[in-house]
Amino acid sequence: NGLGFRHVYLRHREYIKHNKAPKYIIFSIDDFGLMKGKNLFNEDQFLPYMFGNRCFRKHLSEVGSFSFWDFYIPSIRFYGRRDAIREAVKCFFGQEEFNPERKNGYIVHDINWTGDLEKALLNMGGSIEISNDPASLELFNDFLSECFEKHIQVIFVNTPEYIDGQLFVKNRDEVIKVYKAFAEKFKILFLDYSKDEICYQKEYFYNAQHLNRMGAEIFNRKLVSDLKNTNTIHGIYASPDSK
């Protein structure tokens, strides 16, 4: 959530290291995923996995506030992070409160249109142009190669964005072409909802990139139906509670 691919990949590596490889990965593509991020969203999420991890050091050292010593001196990475320390102590004594924001990966935002798009256009002085990071492109290629070798089926999903918001990135078509090229190279199913009827109805969004509860429930039923119809994922079904 809120991360570029280089940092998504760190989470993927940790998952594969400690768990059985998944049969499928549904990869939600976006305009900014292959950029070189300047900031690290929610730094604390990486704290439990950093110590002595060279891959983490390689991809985290350029962003965030981590230093060389955070990766190699035990516990120093927690210095000054009061919330993280508090949660770590609770976990150690088995007193953590298990009240996750997400249920099976799903989180709902029952919010009406916020006007974030208008504010962004005003602050940025209009639309912007995206430049992909060569290191992220190389790593993304390695990730897809790894999935191919491990027989993990990747599915690209270009999720709905409000149609006016799609104009925010000047070279959006060029960015999407990069993903389409990867899809062709690795024989990946590409489900593109960028021109779906949902994208033309503001009441389904709370900002240009994010669906609200009503939009998410409509889209998720549509996605499950399309996955069934393409015979891509076996054993899934659409139910009134599908999220």
Side-chain angles (χ1 to χ4, degrees):
N1 183 30
L3 298 174
F5 178 72
R6 292 174 67 180
H7 306 118
V8 171
Y9 184 67
L10 295 180
R11 295 175 60 109
H12 168 74
R13 275 180 59 99
E14 287 301 305
Y15 177 85
I16 293 293
K17 188 189 301 183
H18 301 289
N19 298 274
K20 182 180 178 181
K23 293 182 179 179
Y24 308 96
I25 292 177
I26 298 178
F27 194 95
S28 178
I29 69 171
D30 63 66
D31 301 339
F32 308 99
L34 296 175
M35 290 179 60
K36 184 175 182 179
K38 297 180 180 179
N39 300 302
L40 186 59
F41 177 76
N42 186 15
E43 289 185 347
D44 288 357
Q45 67 183 293
F46 296 103
L47 293 173
Y49 314 102
M50 288 170 50
F51 182 64
N53 193 319
R54 292 184 179 182
C55 184
F56 271 54
R57 183 190 165 203
K58 175 182 178 182
H59 293 293
L60 293 178
S61 58
E62 297 178 7
V63 292
S65 59
F66 299 122
S67 70
F68 171 86
W69 307 111
D70 290 327
F71 295 92
Y72 296 108
I73 297 180
S75 300
I76 195 172
R77 61 192 183 279
F78 288 95
Y79 179 76
R81 300 178 185 270
R82 295 182 179 179
D83 291 340
I85 293 172
R86 188 181 304 114
E87 292 303 315
V89 171
K90 285 182 180 180
C91 288
F92 181 78
F93 288 104
Q95 297 177 353
E96 73 274 20
E97 295 181 7
F98 186 69
N99 186 24
E101 289 185 316
R102 299 174 183 270
K103 182 179 180 181
N104 295 329
Y106 177 70
I107 185 171
V108 64
H109 292 289
D110 205 359
I111 308 171
N112 294 323
W113 187 259
T114 62
D116 287 348
L117 174 62
E118 292 81 0
K119 294 175 186 175
L121 287 170
L122 184 63
N123 291 337
M124 301 296 293
S127 55
I128 62 173
E129 191 164 321
I130 296 297
S131 178
N132 286 329
D133 171 38
S136 295
L137 289 169
E138 183 178 352
L139 190 64
F140 194 57
N141 185 81
D142 292 344
F143 160 72
L144 295 176
S145 297
E146 172 194 322
C147 290
F148 182 81
E149 292 169 3
K150 293 181 181 293
H151 305 290
I152 300 171
Q153 186 172 348
V154 179
I155 301 156
F156 286 168
V157 179
N158 190 9
T159 55
E161 295 180 52
Y162 184 56
I163 195 65
D164 288 352
Q166 294 181 34
L167 303 176
F168 184 63
V169 177
K170 292 180 183 178
N171 59 332
R172 189 175 191 277
D173 289 343
E174 295 175 23
V175 174
I176 300 303
K177 280 181 182 179
V178 172
Y179 288 107
K180 288 183 175 179
F182 278 121
E184 184 175 348
K185 177 179 179 180
F186 290 97
K187 304 297 186 291
I188 292 171
L189 174 66
F190 189 108
L191 297 176
D192 188 356
Y193 296 94
S194 60
K195 297 298 183 288
D196 188 271
E197 59 184 9
I198 293 176
C199 299
Y200 295 85
Q201 303 188 56
K202 187 182 286 187
E203 64 265 29
Y204 293 151
F205 296 83
Y206 68 86
N207 62 31
Q209 291 186 308
H210 296 97
L211 295 160
N212 58 25
R213 178 192 290 273
M214 182 167 56
E217 291 178 353
I218 292 171
F219 170 64
N220 283 325
R221 287 195 292 269
K222 186 187 294 281
L223 176 60
V224 170
S225 177
D226 289 345
L227 290 172
K228 285 180 62 180
N229 292 336
T230 56
N231 226 9
T232 303
I233 296 181
H234 303 286
I236 63 170
Y237 63 93
S239 75
D241 297 325
S242 292
K243 299 296 191 289

